[in-house]
Amino acid sequence: MSKLILNVETGLPVDPVRWPTTHASYSNPKLMVECSFDGGYTFQSRPIWVDLGTLGDFTKPVEVHIMKQFKRAVFRLKLTDPVDRFAIYSAAIDIREVGQ
């Protein structure tokens, strides 16, 4: 596997109704990606942080580059900021066959 590609809705504002006192401090949300290559039993010790773009940056591509061989991959995603909504429309993995 060389990369994980996510088609997500980016550049969303923080909901001022649910977070009235803190919405100004959240301006650049990040996505934390944790990877497990044993079916979710253990995860890598260092997560990968992906920038989701600033407010209004709706077309930023989200790619996570990981060079790893695996049989059972599991990805755990966490969002840092309390945005109004967050949607993952699709996900794909770029897989390369290992030469023989």
Side-chain angles (χ1 to χ4, degrees):
M1 176 177 115
S2 62
K3 66 181 166 181
L4 169 68
I5 305 159
L6 299 172
N7 183 9
V8 299
E9 191 170 16
T10 61
L12 297 173
V14 174
D15 184 359
V17 175
R18 289 189 293 167
W19 307 96
T21 59
T22 60
H23 76 278
S25 63
Y26 293 106
S27 61
N28 193 10
K30 296 189 181 352
L31 184 68
M32 183 177 74
V33 180
E34 294 177 293
C35 306
S36 171
F37 298 103
D38 60 2
Y41 291 103
T42 60
F43 285 84
Q44 292 181 333
S45 60
R46 285 191 272 181
I48 300 165
W49 292 93
V50 181
D51 182 18
L52 291 180
T54 57
L55 180 63
D57 186 10
F58 299 111
T59 59
K60 183 174 179 60
V62 177
E63 293 185 358
V64 179
H65 295 271
I66 306 167
M67 295 298 291
K68 184 76 174 177
Q69 293 181 2
F70 67 90
K71 290 185 181 179
R72 299 182 311 163
V74 175
F75 300 98
R76 184 164 52 192
L77 309 174
K78 293 181 183 177
L79 190 61
T80 60
D81 294 4
V83 295
D84 189 28
R85 67 184 183 276
F86 178 72
I88 299 174
Y89 298 119
S90 65
I93 300 174
D94 186 15
I95 299 176
R96 312 266 175 185
E97 184 178 359
V98 177
Q100 298 181 5

